[in-house]
Amino acid sequence: MDVTLVRSLLDPAVLFFFFGLFAAAVRSNLEVPPAIAKFFSLYLLMSIGFKGGVSLAQTGFTTSMLLALGAALTLAFVIPAYSYVILRRRLNAFDAAAVAATYGSVSAVTFIAANSFIEQQGVMPGGYMSAAPVLMESPAVLMAVVLANHARQTGTQPGAIPKEDVSMKNILHEAFTDGAQLLLLGSLLIGVLTGEHGKKVLDPFTGMIQKGILAFFLLEMGLLVGRRFRDIDKSSRGFIALFGLVAPPVNAALAASLAHLLGLPLGDAFILCVLAASASYIVVPAVVRHAIPEANAGLYFSMALVVTFPFNIAVGIPLYFAVLKALW
């Protein structure tokens, strides 16, 4: 087994994730209070965004930044497009659009874990990569809405809700003003404005304690994943597992190919691969629930959270890095 994979699995934060899975499996009453779990999530987003902004202030705007963010935006359109075509073979139009949006978007927690991992490897991505998750959220949702509206217009899907009953204004507002996105982008901007001085001021808060909070947060995620698994319809588990395990490495390979073509540095390529391989189980489901009410929320939520998220945390992140390191 690759040494990078072994070290990742023995990382305290990852082990706390598996401990959460175990606690849920034995039906323990262990829990992290929701308000505290929410704070951990906000803290990690703020810390990652701020550090990225400081790094961007130090490096300035470069060609690599434009290429990397352009690649992220491209993937945000390409992944849901081809995912929809594949998913449509097994799912109705609304479920296919919702799942495509989920996998075309990104997981903020996976992004946070990837940043922690890459720091341990001594390879730093450009600060501008903190803006990539923000860029990749909305295009996937917008594409899914367009696909769902097309299905409504054709009238071929049973149970379709009339287009006028779904407010595009509210959908766009929710997609572009989600709290997680705003916090990440706002923290990035503050990091750019304050630079090295801001880093020194906030270092006690955003530095040494970040790893401990990540471990606690992944413990809560392990509990959530373990308990959600029992809610999955047994008849759907085969398809959920297949797509949820195959899609991440395929999307990561697509991102790696694009990064290699553009000549991106290793750190940027790694973050791009992880973002492409991840699936949103927070922002997109919250938006899609209103945008595509005909879709089965349990399907796209379970695929992203119960299958793809654990795969990326335990195997995907170190695997993508090991492959990229060998190629770059």
Side-chain angles (χ1 to χ4, degrees):
M1 183 180 290
D2 187 91
V3 67
T4 303
L5 178 57
V6 174
R7 287 176 180 172
S8 175
L9 292 175
L10 294 179
D11 181 89
V14 175
L15 290 177
F16 269 105
F17 173 77
F18 284 114
F19 175 68
L21 287 176
F22 169 77
V26 299
R27 300 179 184 272
S28 168
N29 64 352
L30 174 65
E31 66 175 352
V32 178
I36 295 179
K38 179 68 173 178
F39 166 74
F40 287 163
S41 175
L42 294 176
Y43 163 83
L44 290 167
L45 288 169
M46 184 276 287
S47 177
I48 293 297
F50 180 76
K51 286 182 176 180
V54 171
S55 177
L56 181 57
Q58 293 171 340
T59 60
F61 293 90
T62 63
T63 301
S64 293
M65 178 195 72
L66 295 176
L67 291 175
L69 296 184
L73 198 58
T74 300
L75 291 168
F77 283 103
V78 172
I79 291 175
Y82 85 77
S83 296
Y84 177 80
V85 174
I86 295 172
L87 291 163
R88 192 67 182 87
R89 297 176 180 272
R90 289 289 303 272
L91 304 176
N92 65 56
F94 300 117
D95 284 342
V99 174
T102 301
Y103 280 82
S105 188
V106 299
S107 162
V109 180
T110 308
F111 170 70
I112 291 167
N115 272 276
S116 176
F117 175 87
I118 198 71
E119 284 184 7
Q120 294 178 5
Q121 309 307 313
V123 180
M124 295 301 295
Y128 44 80
M129 292 307 294
S130 293
V134 181
L135 289 177
M136 296 179 73
E137 286 281 11
S138 300
V141 173
L142 297 178
M143 285 195 66
V145 171
V146 170
L147 291 168
N149 282 340
H150 175 72
R152 295 187 187 104
Q153 290 173 343
T154 58
T156 57
Q157 294 296 312
I161 295 175
K163 182 180 177 181
E164 57 270 15
D165 291 345
V166 181
S167 172
M168 183 63 70
K169 178 180 178 181
N170 291 338
I171 292 168
L172 291 174
H173 181 270
E174 192 165 354
F176 284 104
T177 62
D178 175 77
Q181 290 196 65
L182 280 181
L183 178 59
L184 188 62
L185 192 58
S187 301
L188 180 75
L189 178 60
I190 292 171
V192 170
L193 294 175
T194 58
E196 190 64 29
H197 171 71
K199 179 183 178 181
K200 291 179 180 178
V201 171
L202 285 184
D203 189 60
F205 183 66
T206 60
M208 296 182 64
I209 68 171
Q210 180 179 318
K211 190 67 175 182
I213 290 183
L214 176 62
F216 230 122
F217 184 66
L218 287 180
L219 167 65
E220 197 272 338
M221 293 307 303
L223 291 168
L224 179 61
V225 169
R227 288 162 182 163
R228 286 285 183 177
F229 181 77
R230 296 194 291 267
D231 298 334
I232 300 177
D233 183 2
K234 291 183 179 180
S235 62
S236 303
R237 288 180 182 176
F239 174 72
I240 286 175
L242 180 62
F243 189 89
L245 293 176
V246 172
V250 169
N251 291 340
L254 179 63
S257 300
L258 185 57
H260 190 271
L261 179 65
L262 296 174
L264 298 182
L266 176 59
D268 293 4
F270 170 73
I271 294 297
L272 189 66
C273 287
V274 171
L275 290 175
S278 68
S280 175
Y281 54 85
I282 299 175
V283 177
V284 170
V287 177
V288 169
R289 185 177 69 250
H290 302 293
I292 313 177
E294 302 94 336
N296 179 0
L299 181 65
Y300 55 80
F301 182 81
S302 298
M303 290 175 71
L305 178 62
V306 181
V307 182
T308 298
F309 174 71
F311 172 80
N312 278 326
I313 292 295
V315 179
I317 288 176
L319 177 63
Y320 309 146
F321 181 77
V323 173
L324 289 173
K325 188 176 181 182
L327 295 175
W328 251 247

